[in-house]
């Protein structure tokens, strides 16, 4: 057996002796448990739903306009009110599940800015349309959605082309509260063409991707 | 004509979250990281894209690198978003910036498969939706060969008739062309009451601003001494860089 191996064996034997001769003992120590809670800067937005509408097959140039706005229920709860104007003949809202109009809303939290700093709001679209990112209005056109993409309706066989258009309204700024949070609403307006054929019926969505950005930089 | 009111049900929405939306790089510290935060219980794909800077801002897209462009964050986890400055040797002294937009990739639910035998005649309805995609911008500054920008605080302006604020301290940049990223804190010194505290971020194009004092549940304390303390960094640590007091 080589010298190194002898040394290893000897060391193990000595250690074993020490282990055998040490009486069982207890020891205590403290264990620190740490957890850090850091607020994330978060933005949540919901879509603007104009709802599901029954409209007659018709021809002509008289459009139907639908405007969404904030309202308050008799119980004091926030609600969406849809105002109809223009050609209202035989127009009705389908109030079944999924058919209710709802304005959009955004909530943010976790901003590091001091309280009462203005949160700046910007909106843009990749689709055709006018974007006034500092004027609180975005306009664009509606295109066919995918089958079943929204409220279970299929895409129309024939969409309106450039005929159905929408506009959005939102604040340019909103204050940040003492907790770094805040919220705002996105209302909308919709114009439906005067001429409708049965093949136009179905689900529509805004063309392109509409992004809403908030920034607490002044 | 207004339709009968419709109850506003609690809406679910699309979310995007970050650990922070601002990174300041300097010659001595040319890299930085924030976290893309997935607060959901499902994996979320983040997409990061460059945003335009305004004409009055100095574009740093040639020298500030960032990654990733797309990333999938596991449920309830974060992913790092890293930036670094690669200044060329002959880069003029100044401050440069990029701005990127972070979006959580929308994961559309799969369509419910329909049994043709159960398909009813579709109703003659039109459904209209405007999807909104929330985006958080991240501003990245690189300061090359410049001192840390600072602001001057002006005397307190009291607004006793304002319903929201009891007053404000105007602040003005010392270096108009550079940004300011620092900490502001307003206290009432006689009682030690904290009135307001947070980060102040003035863009390159912004020359001045006001640090407001929310009214809250209090009015101005009679004979109170209100002080604005400013640090030239965030978060502010140690003694403030400057302090201006009323009275």
């Amino acid at each position: 057996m080589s010298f190194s191996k002898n040394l290893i064996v000897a060391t193990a034997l000595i250690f074993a002796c020490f282990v055998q001769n040490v009486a069982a003992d207890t020891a205590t120590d403290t264990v620190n448990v740490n957890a850090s809670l850091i607020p994330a800067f978060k933005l949540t937005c919901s879509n603007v739903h104009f709802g599901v509408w029954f409209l007659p097959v018709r021809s002509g140039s008289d459009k139907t306009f639908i405007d969404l706005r904030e309202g308050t229920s008799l119980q004091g709860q926030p609600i969406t009110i849809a105002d109809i104007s223009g050609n209202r003949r035989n127009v009705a809202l389908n109030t079944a599940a999924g058919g209710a109009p709802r304005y959009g809303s955004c909530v943010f939290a976790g901003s590091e800015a001091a309280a009462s700093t203005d949160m700046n709001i910007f909106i843009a679209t990749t689709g055709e349309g006018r974007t006034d990112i500092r004027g609180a209005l975005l306009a664009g056109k509606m295109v066919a959605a995918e089958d079943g993409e929204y409220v279970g309706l299929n895409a129309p066989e024939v969409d309106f082309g450039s005929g159905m258009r929408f506009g959005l309204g939102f604040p340019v700024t909103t204050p940040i509260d003492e907790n770094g949070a805040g919220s705002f609403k996105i209302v909308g307006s919709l114009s439906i063409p005067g001429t409708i054929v049965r093949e136009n019926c179905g689900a529509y969505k805004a063309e392109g991707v509409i992004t809403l950005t908030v920034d607490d930089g002044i | 004509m207004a339709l009968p009111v419709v109850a506003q049900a609690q809406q679910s929405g699309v979310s995007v979250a970050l650990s922070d939306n601002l990174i300041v790089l300097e010659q001595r510290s040319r890299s930085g990281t924030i976290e893309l935060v997935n607060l959901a219980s499902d994996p979320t794909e983040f997409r990061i894209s460059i945003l335009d800077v305004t004409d009055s801002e100095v574009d740093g897209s040639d020298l500030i690198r960032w990654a990733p462009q797309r990333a999938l964050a596991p449920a309830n986890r974060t992913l790092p978003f890293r930036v670094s400055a690669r200044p060329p040797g002959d880069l003029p002294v100044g401050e440069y910036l990029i701005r990127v937009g972070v979006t959580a990739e929308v994961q559309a639910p799969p369509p419910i498969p329909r049994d043709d035998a159960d398909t009813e005649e579709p109703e003659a309805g039109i459904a209209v939706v405007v999807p909104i995609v929330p985006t958080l911008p991240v501003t990245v500054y690189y300061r090359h060969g410049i001192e840390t920008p600072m602001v001057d605080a002006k005397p307190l302006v009291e607004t006793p008739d304002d319903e929201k604020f009891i007053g404000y301290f105007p602040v003005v940049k010392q270096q108009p062309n550079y940004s300011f990223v620092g900490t502001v804190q307003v206290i009432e010194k006689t009682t030690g009451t904290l009135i307001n505290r947070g980060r102040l971020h003035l863009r390159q194009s912004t020359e001045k601003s006001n640090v407001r004092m929310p009214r809250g549940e209090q009015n101005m304390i009679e004979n109170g001494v209100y002080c604005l303390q400013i640090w030239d960094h965030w978060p502010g640590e140690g003694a403030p860089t400057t302090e201006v007091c009323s009275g």
Side-chain angles (χ1 to χ4, degrees):
Chain A
M1 193 183 284
S2 65
F3 171 77
S4 60
K5 287 185 178 177
N6 287 336
L7 178 62
I8 293 171
V9 171
T11 303
L13 287 173
I14 295 172
F15 180 76
C17 290
F18 275 104
V19 169
Q20 289 175 357
N21 291 333
V22 171
D25 200 352
T26 58
T28 59
D29 198 351
T30 58
V31 176
N32 294 323
V33 179
N34 298 313
S36 297
L37 302 179
I38 306 173
F41 185 30
K42 179 181 177 183
L43 173 65
T44 302
C45 291
S46 62
N47 299 334
V48 179
H49 286 264
F50 286 97
V52 182
W53 295 86
F54 292 117
L55 290 126
V57 173
R58 66 189 189 191
S59 62
S61 59
D62 293 340
K63 299 180 181 179
T64 301
F65 302 97
I66 299 171
D67 294 296
L68 302 182
R69 59 183 172 89
E70 295 181 66
T72 305
S73 71
L74 294 175
Q75 294 74 32
Q77 298 299 313
I79 56 174
T80 301
I81 294 178
D83 294 319
I84 309 175
S85 60
N87 187 347
R88 304 195 302 261
R89 181 173 298 180
N90 294 325
V91 175
L93 174 68
N94 181 349
T95 56
R102 298 189 297 273
Y103 56 72
S105 62
C106 291
V107 177
F108 61 85
S111 170
E112 301 281 16
S116 301
T117 300
D118 284 333
M119 180 69 84
N120 298 289
I121 302 165
F122 304 86
I123 201 164
T125 181
T126 60
E128 170 196 315
R130 177 168 56 87
T131 60
D132 184 354
I133 61 174
R134 297 304 293 161
L137 177 63
L138 175 140
K141 73 176 184 181
M142 289 294 185
V143 296
E146 300 294 326
D147 286 349
E149 187 173 3
Y150 297 111
V151 299
L153 281 183
N154 289 337
E157 293 181 35
V158 178
D159 68 23
F160 286 111
S162 299
M164 185 156 67
R165 305 192 70 82
F166 73 95
L168 297 180
F170 56 95
V172 178
T173 63
T174 195
I176 301 171
D177 68 17
E178 63 276 10
N179 298 314
S183 63
F184 55 94
K185 303 290 189 297
I186 307 171
V187 295
S189 60
L190 179 73
S191 70
I192 303 174
T195 297
I196 302 174
V197 298
R198 186 168 182 80
E199 289 76 13
N200 293 143
C201 295
Y204 289 82
K205 66 178 180 180
E207 182 187 44
V209 177
I210 297 175
T211 57
L212 188 141
T213 305
V214 296
D215 192 348
D216 54 13
I218 300 174
Chain B
M1 169 179 124
L3 280 183
V5 295
V6 181
Q8 172 83 22
Q10 188 71 21
Q11 292 196 71
S12 60
V14 179
S15 298
V16 58
L18 308 171
S19 61
D20 202 349
N21 62 339
L22 187 60
I23 303 174
V24 179
L25 308 177
E26 301 172 325
Q27 280 182 284
R28 296 165 297 177
S29 177
R30 290 191 287 181
S31 63
T33 304
I34 62 167
E35 297 292 318
L36 310 175
V37 182
N38 181 12
L39 297 169
S41 55
D42 294 313
T44 297
E45 185 172 19
F46 289 88
R47 182 175 57 196
I48 301 98
S49 57
I50 195 78
L51 301 177
D52 294 332
V53 298
T54 65
D55 293 339
S56 55
E57 296 174 321
V58 182
D59 187 2
S61 56
D62 289 339
L63 55 98
I64 299 175
R65 301 287 181 261
W66 51 275
Q69 291 186 342
R70 295 177 80 112
L72 184 67
N76 304 113
R77 291 289 186 273
T78 67
L79 283 179
F81 172 74
R82 296 188 172 91
V83 296
S84 65
R86 306 284 179 86
D90 58 349
L91 183 69
V93 166
E95 183 182 55
Y96 304 83
L97 79 97
I98 64 168
R99 192 171 289 119
V100 297
V102 181
T103 305
E105 187 83 6
V106 177
Q107 301 294 331
I112 300 174
R114 291 177 178 270
D115 186 342
D116 289 341
D118 297 333
T119 300
E120 300 177 359
E121 186 69 19
E123 300 183 48
I126 292 179
V128 186
V129 175
V130 178
I132 303 293
V133 178
T135 303
L136 287 178
V138 178
T139 302
V140 182
Y141 293 109
Y142 172 63
R143 293 169 174 169
H144 188 72
I146 65 172
E147 297 293 323
T148 303
M150 188 53 187
V151 296
D152 290 323
K154 303 301 182 183
L156 172 67
V157 176
E158 295 186 30
T159 54
D161 298 328
D162 192 310
E163 293 181 356
K164 296 181 180 179
F165 311 112
I166 57 178
Y168 62 89
F169 284 92
V171 294
V172 182
K173 283 182 182 175
Q174 292 182 355
Q175 300 88 8
N177 295 330
Y178 300 148
S179 70
F180 173 76
V181 179
T183 307
V184 293
Q185 176 169 279
V186 180
I187 62 172
E188 200 291 307
K189 264 200 167 178
T190 59
T191 59
T193 303
L194 176 65
I195 307 296
N196 198 0
R197 178 182 169 88
R199 184 168 65 192
L200 178 63
H201 170 204
L202 302 182
R203 297 181 174 201
Q204 289 181 343
S205 55
T206 301
E207 184 180 346
K208 56 186 177 181
S209 183
N210 298 325
V211 179
R212 296 166 174 164
M213 299 164 58
R215 183 171 294 280
E217 299 176 354
Q218 61 198 7
N219 294 315
M220 281 285 193
I221 298 175
E222 193 170 349
N223 300 321
V225 178
Y226 292 89
C227 296
L228 170 62
Q229 300 169 327
I230 304 176
W231 288 258
D232 62 2
H233 55 278
W234 168 264
E237 296 172 332
T241 310
T242 189
E243 182 178 65
V244 167
C245 294
S246 65

